[in-house]
Amino acid sequence: MTLQPAAQPAAHTTPLPTFAQVLELPALIETTVQPEYIDFYGHMNVRFYLILGAEAVGLHAERIGIDSAYHEQRRMGVFTAEHHLRYFSELSLGDKLSVHSRFLDRSRRAGHIMSFLLDRERDRLAYTLELIVVHMDTTTRRPVDMPDDIARGFDEQIALSRALNWPAPTCGVMGIRR
């Protein structure tokens, strides 16, 4: 019996956006690297990249109506089903950063979103977070179609994203399946 190597996912072929291109997206978070973000290697720990990227997506979702009132009154929200992280540079104590996001695509029950963390000290992209979120009924804990107002909010943000002159550097494995 001969073992065959596992199939490799497609390599990243989309170029990374420039610092200036990411700045075309509104900054949802602007902060500095805090002492509690630093690990024993002396740089920002992986969990804080994820926290900041996910928090930016949450803030962006709030802008289209997926907020605490939406959950409390309609008993719906979005759950992360999949994510992909990419790191491009370290951040150190006191470094200024900003986090930006863009909605890429959606189906009736899922959305494809990316966050971009910028190193504002060195004018460079430090990290990306790519997510698939599923619209859920939080009582039944089951996926449900997005209400029309939320779907419209996604669609408006997707249209803004598609109007940018740079493609999102997705991993090539995740996306909305039709």
Side-chain angles (χ1 to χ4, degrees), residues 69-92:
Y70 183 71
H71 170 67
E72 291 166 12
Q73 295 166 10
R74 295 163 108 178
R75 310 305 297 166
M76 289 186 272
V78 291
F79 291 6
T80 299
E82 187 174 1
H83 64 263
H84 181 81
L85 317 167
R86 291 177 69 194
Y87 302 90
F88 306 107
S89 65
E90 296 180 295
L91 289 168
S92 301

Short mmCIF file of all heavy atoms in Angstrom, two decimals, residues 69-92:
data_model
loop_
_atom_site.label_atom_id
_atom_site.label_comp_id
_atom_site.label_asym_id
_atom_site.label_seq_id
_atom_site.Cartn_x
_atom_site.Cartn_y
_atom_site.Cartn_z
N ALA A 69 -30.54 44.59 21.23
CA ALA A 69 -32.00 44.72 21.11
C ALA A 69 -32.55 43.69 20.12
O ALA A 69 -33.62 43.12 20.34
CB ALA A 69 -32.38 46.13 20.66
N TYR A 70 -31.82 43.44 19.05
CA TYR A 70 -32.22 42.43 18.07
C TYR A 70 -32.34 41.06 18.75
O TYR A 70 -33.32 40.34 18.56
CB TYR A 70 -31.18 42.39 16.95
CG TYR A 70 -31.47 41.45 15.82
CD1 TYR A 70 -32.49 41.70 14.92
CD2 TYR A 70 -30.69 40.31 15.63
CE1 TYR A 70 -32.75 40.84 13.85
CE2 TYR A 70 -30.94 39.45 14.57
CZ TYR A 70 -31.96 39.72 13.69
OH TYR A 70 -32.21 38.87 12.64
N HIS A 71 -31.35 40.75 19.55
CA HIS A 71 -31.38 39.47 20.27
C HIS A 71 -32.52 39.44 21.29
O HIS A 71 -33.28 38.47 21.36
CB HIS A 71 -30.05 39.20 20.97
CG HIS A 71 -30.09 38.05 21.90
ND1 HIS A 71 -30.27 36.75 21.46
CD2 HIS A 71 -30.03 37.98 23.23
CE1 HIS A 71 -30.30 35.94 22.51
NE2 HIS A 71 -30.15 36.67 23.60
N GLU A 72 -32.64 40.49 22.08
CA GLU A 72 -33.65 40.51 23.14
C GLU A 72 -35.08 40.51 22.59
O GLU A 72 -35.94 39.82 23.11
CB GLU A 72 -33.43 41.72 24.04
CG GLU A 72 -32.16 41.62 24.87
CD GLU A 72 -31.76 42.94 25.51
OE1 GLU A 72 -32.56 43.91 25.50
OE2 GLU A 72 -30.61 43.01 26.01
N GLN A 73 -35.32 41.29 21.53
CA GLN A 73 -36.68 41.43 21.02
C GLN A 73 -37.05 40.36 19.98
O GLN A 73 -38.18 39.88 19.97
CB GLN A 73 -36.85 42.82 20.40
CG GLN A 73 -36.73 43.92 21.45
CD GLN A 73 -36.56 45.29 20.83
OE1 GLN A 73 -36.71 45.48 19.63
NE2 GLN A 73 -36.23 46.27 21.66
N ARG A 74 -36.10 39.99 19.13
CA ARG A 74 -36.42 39.06 18.06
C ARG A 74 -35.86 37.67 18.30
O ARG A 74 -36.15 36.75 17.54
CB ARG A 74 -35.90 39.62 16.74
CG ARG A 74 -36.63 40.92 16.36
CD ARG A 74 -35.89 41.68 15.31
NE ARG A 74 -36.56 41.62 14.03
CZ ARG A 74 -36.11 42.25 12.95
NH1 ARG A 74 -34.99 42.94 12.98
NH2 ARG A 74 -36.77 42.17 11.83
N ARG A 75 -35.03 37.54 19.31
CA ARG A 75 -34.43 36.24 19.68
C ARG A 75 -33.63 35.64 18.52
O ARG A 75 -33.69 34.46 18.25
CB ARG A 75 -35.49 35.25 20.17
CG ARG A 75 -36.43 35.79 21.26
CD ARG A 75 -35.74 36.35 22.48
NE ARG A 75 -34.97 35.35 23.21
CZ ARG A 75 -34.09 35.65 24.15
NH1 ARG A 75 -33.86 36.90 24.46
NH2 ARG A 75 -33.43 34.71 24.76
N MET A 76 -32.84 36.51 17.85
CA MET A 76 -31.99 36.07 16.75
C MET A 76 -30.62 36.74 16.87
O MET A 76 -30.46 37.74 17.56
CB MET A 76 -32.62 36.41 15.40
CG MET A 76 -33.84 35.56 15.08
SD MET A 76 -34.48 35.85 13.43
CE MET A 76 -35.60 37.21 13.74
N GLY A 77 -29.65 36.18 16.18
CA GLY A 77 -28.31 36.73 16.14
C GLY A 77 -27.47 35.92 15.17
O GLY A 77 -27.99 35.10 14.41
N VAL A 78 -26.15 36.16 15.17
CA VAL A 78 -25.25 35.38 14.31
C VAL A 78 -24.21 34.67 15.17
O VAL A 78 -23.72 35.22 16.15
CB VAL A 78 -24.57 36.25 13.23
CG1 VAL A 78 -25.57 36.72 12.19
CG2 VAL A 78 -23.82 37.42 13.82
N PHE A 79 -23.93 33.45 14.80
CA PHE A 79 -22.90 32.64 15.45
C PHE A 79 -21.78 32.41 14.43
O PHE A 79 -22.06 32.18 13.24
CB PHE A 79 -23.44 31.27 15.85
CG PHE A 79 -24.45 31.24 16.96
CD1 PHE A 79 -24.99 32.38 17.52
CD2 PHE A 79 -24.87 30.02 17.45
CE1 PHE A 79 -25.93 32.32 18.53
CE2 PHE A 79 -25.81 29.94 18.46
CZ PHE A 79 -26.34 31.09 19.01
N THR A 80 -20.56 32.43 14.89
CA THR A 80 -19.44 32.11 14.02
C THR A 80 -19.39 30.60 13.78
O THR A 80 -19.42 29.82 14.73
CB THR A 80 -18.11 32.58 14.63
OG1 THR A 80 -18.16 33.99 14.81
CG2 THR A 80 -16.93 32.22 13.75
N ALA A 81 -19.32 30.21 12.52
CA ALA A 81 -19.26 28.80 12.16
C ALA A 81 -17.86 28.38 11.73
O ALA A 81 -17.48 27.23 11.86
CB ALA A 81 -20.24 28.50 11.03
N GLU A 82 -17.09 29.34 11.21
CA GLU A 82 -15.75 29.02 10.70
C GLU A 82 -14.95 30.30 10.69
O GLU A 82 -15.49 31.39 10.47
CB GLU A 82 -15.92 28.47 9.26
CG GLU A 82 -14.68 27.94 8.63
CD GLU A 82 -14.95 27.28 7.27
OE1 GLU A 82 -16.12 27.26 6.82
OE2 GLU A 82 -13.99 26.80 6.68
N HIS A 83 -13.64 30.18 10.92
CA HIS A 83 -12.79 31.35 10.78
C HIS A 83 -11.40 30.94 10.32
O HIS A 83 -10.98 29.80 10.48
CB HIS A 83 -12.74 32.21 12.06
CG HIS A 83 -12.13 31.54 13.24
ND1 HIS A 83 -12.88 30.94 14.22
CD2 HIS A 83 -10.85 31.39 13.62
CE1 HIS A 83 -12.09 30.45 15.14
NE2 HIS A 83 -10.85 30.70 14.80
N HIS A 84 -10.72 31.92 9.73
CA HIS A 84 -9.37 31.72 9.23
C HIS A 84 -8.57 32.96 9.62
O HIS A 84 -8.97 34.08 9.32
CB HIS A 84 -9.38 31.56 7.70
CG HIS A 84 -8.05 31.32 7.11
ND1 HIS A 84 -7.45 30.07 7.09
CD2 HIS A 84 -7.17 32.15 6.51
CE1 HIS A 84 -6.27 30.16 6.50
NE2 HIS A 84 -6.08 31.41 6.14
N LEU A 85 -7.43 32.74 10.27
CA LEU A 85 -6.58 33.83 10.75
C LEU A 85 -5.29 33.86 9.95
O LEU A 85 -4.71 32.81 9.65
CB LEU A 85 -6.21 33.61 12.22
CG LEU A 85 -7.30 33.15 13.16
CD1 LEU A 85 -6.70 32.67 14.47
CD2 LEU A 85 -8.26 34.28 13.40
N ARG A 86 -4.81 35.05 9.63
CA ARG A 86 -3.50 35.21 8.99
C ARG A 86 -2.77 36.36 9.67
O ARG A 86 -3.32 37.44 9.85
CB ARG A 86 -3.66 35.50 7.50
CG ARG A 86 -4.18 34.32 6.72
CD ARG A 86 -4.40 34.63 5.26
NE ARG A 86 -3.15 34.85 4.56
CZ ARG A 86 -3.07 35.40 3.35
NH1 ARG A 86 -4.15 35.84 2.73
NH2 ARG A 86 -1.90 35.54 2.75
N TYR A 87 -1.50 36.10 10.01
CA TYR A 87 -0.66 37.09 10.68
C TYR A 87 0.45 37.53 9.73
O TYR A 87 1.08 36.70 9.09
CB TYR A 87 -0.03 36.49 11.94
CG TYR A 87 -1.05 35.98 12.91
CD1 TYR A 87 -1.52 34.68 12.86
CD2 TYR A 87 -1.60 36.84 13.86
CE1 TYR A 87 -2.49 34.22 13.73
CE2 TYR A 87 -2.57 36.39 14.74
CZ TYR A 87 -3.01 35.08 14.67
OH TYR A 87 -3.97 34.64 15.52
N PHE A 88 0.69 38.84 9.69
CA PHE A 88 1.69 39.38 8.77
C PHE A 88 2.80 40.15 9.48
O PHE A 88 3.87 40.31 8.93
CB PHE A 88 1.02 40.27 7.72
CG PHE A 88 -0.10 39.56 7.02
CD1 PHE A 88 -1.42 39.89 7.27
CD2 PHE A 88 0.16 38.52 6.14
CE1 PHE A 88 -2.46 39.21 6.65
CE2 PHE A 88 -0.87 37.83 5.51
CZ PHE A 88 -2.18 38.19 5.77
N SER A 89 2.53 40.66 10.68
CA SER A 89 3.56 41.36 11.43
C SER A 89 3.20 41.40 12.91
O SER A 89 2.03 41.28 13.26
CB SER A 89 3.77 42.78 10.89
OG SER A 89 2.62 43.58 11.10
N GLU A 90 4.21 41.55 13.73
CA GLU A 90 4.02 41.60 15.18
C GLU A 90 3.56 42.98 15.62
O GLU A 90 3.89 43.99 14.99
CB GLU A 90 5.34 41.32 15.90
CG GLU A 90 5.91 39.96 15.69
CD GLU A 90 7.23 39.81 16.44
OE1 GLU A 90 8.20 40.51 16.09
OE2 GLU A 90 7.24 39.00 17.38
N LEU A 91 2.87 43.00 16.72
CA LEU A 91 2.55 44.25 17.41
C LEU A 91 3.14 44.16 18.81
O LEU A 91 3.12 43.10 19.43
CB LEU A 91 1.04 44.46 17.48
CG LEU A 91 0.38 44.80 16.15
CD1 LEU A 91 -1.13 44.72 16.26
CD2 LEU A 91 0.80 46.18 15.68
N SER A 92 3.64 45.28 19.28
CA SER A 92 4.30 45.34 20.58
C SER A 92 3.58 46.31 21.50
O SER A 92 2.75 47.12 21.06
CB SER A 92 5.76 45.78 20.41
OG SER A 92 6.44 44.88 19.58
#
